[in-house]
């Protein structure tokens, strides 16, 4: 009950076009409920699974737009003193026009209150410091998760996989990710640099804000487009 009320209070104070809106929360006949904005569409996890099944990758323009919108939502939440702590494709909703919405603040950390650090998060997308203790989560922990999502968008898989969530978390803490170009040789160097910086082990070595990350991604994708335009045509 406390977690439910806490999530409702967190969402209720956030007002951003890329964050799912909460209209009200209450109790009725012993049932707790939240009335939230209905996003007609799907979630990014389903979309990425579809690309993976077809052995295809997401269109770079779609990836650029989704990342920019979610990074904007995260920057806003961080400014309001809220760290999401569970950013993953299943928590990014996409409406029928392709607009992205950040949802599910059930594990959020209110920076002014803190936490005892026993909440884990989703192993495939967890930042190293958060894997040690969720109390150590910082805004760059959410941006690390965006780095994992970028890796998945542009290689078709997450950077770390293992038999158990704990084993996956240990890989996040101790092992460098396989460079994207080893998996997808056509990945341009600028894009690989952005992804690997977002996945740096230390928070201070990552992008300081979502805006900085999405700007870097845009430059990298523009470099790829320019390289394609400048490539000599075959006879």
């Amino acid at each position: 009950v406390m977690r439910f009320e806490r999530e409702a209070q967190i969402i209720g104070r956030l007002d951003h076009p890329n964050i799912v809106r909460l209209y009200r929360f209450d109790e009725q006949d012993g049932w707790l409920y939240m009335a939230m904005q209905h996003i007609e569409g799907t979630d990014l996890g389903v979309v990425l699974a579809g690309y993976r099944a077809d052995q295809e990758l997401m269109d770079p323009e779609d990836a650029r737009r989704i990342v920019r919108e979610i990074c904007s939502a995260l920057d806003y939440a961080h400014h309001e003193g809220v760290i999401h702590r569970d950013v993953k494709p299943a928590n990014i909703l996409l409406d029928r026009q392709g607009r992205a919405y950040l949802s599910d603040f059930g594990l959020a950390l209110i920076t002014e209150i803190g936490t005892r650090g026993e909440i884990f998060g989703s192993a495939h997308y967890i930042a190293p410091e958060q894997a040690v203790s969720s109390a150590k989560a910082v805004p760059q922990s959410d941006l690390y998760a965006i780095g994992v999502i970028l890796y998945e968008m542009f290689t078709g898989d997450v950077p770390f996989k293992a038999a158990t969530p704990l084993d996956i978390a240990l890989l996040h803490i101790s092992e460098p990710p396989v460079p994207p170009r080893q998996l997808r040789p056509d990945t341009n160097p600028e894009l690989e640099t952005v992804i690997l910086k977002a996945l740096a082990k230390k928070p201070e070595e990552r992008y300081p804000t979502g805006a900085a990350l999405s700007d870097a991604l845009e430059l990298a994708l523009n470099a790829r487009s320019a390289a394609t335009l400048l490539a000599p045509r075959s006879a």
Side-chain angles (χ1 to χ4, degrees), residues 25 36 51 63 79 116 134 146 151 207 210:
F25 72 98
M36 302 181 69
Y51 281 115
H79 183 266
R116 288 180 294 176
S134 63
I146 296 295
Y151 193 102
Y207 293 96

Side-chain angles (χ1 to χ4, degrees), residues 59 81 189:
D59 181 271

Side-chain angles (χ1 to χ4, degrees), residues 192-229:
E192 181 177 79
T193 297
V194 170
I195 294 172
L196 293 179
K197 181 177 175 66
L199 292 176
K201 299 300 184 190
K202 297 179 180 179
E204 63 271 19
E205 294 178 357
R206 300 174 206 146
Y207 293 96
T209 63
L213 193 164
S214 54
D215 286 348
L217 175 63
E218 187 136 359
L219 287 172
L221 293 178
N222 286 342
R224 178 179 181 175
S225 299
T228 302
L229 289 172

Side-chain angles (χ1 to χ4, degrees), residues 78-117:
H78 296 157
H79 183 266
E80 295 297 309
V82 177
I83 301 170
H84 190 284
R85 296 200 299 181
D86 197 21
V87 177
K88 59 184 178 182
N91 287 339
I92 296 174
L93 306 182
L94 303 174
D95 67 17
R96 293 190 180 279
Q97 288 72 47
R99 187 174 188 174
Y101 300 81
L102 185 61
S103 69
D104 195 350
F105 282 76
L107 299 186
L109 168 68
I110 304 175
T111 54
E112 65 194 40
I113 297 174
T115 179
R116 288 180 294 176

Side-chain angles (χ1 to χ4, degrees), residues 3 7 21 26 52 81 88 149 174:
R3 178 173 163 185
E7 180 177 5
R21 295 180 183 274
D26 208 339
R52 193 157 48 245
K88 59 184 178 182
I149 292 171
S174 62

Side-chain angles (χ1 to χ4, degrees), residues 169-192:
L170 290 173
L171 292 174
H172 280 287
I173 293 169
S174 62
E175 295 297 321
V178 175
R181 285 198 290 169
Q182 287 190 26
L183 302 176
R184 297 282 179 171
D186 60 339
T187 302
N188 72 339
E190 293 85 356
L191 177 57
E192 181 177 79

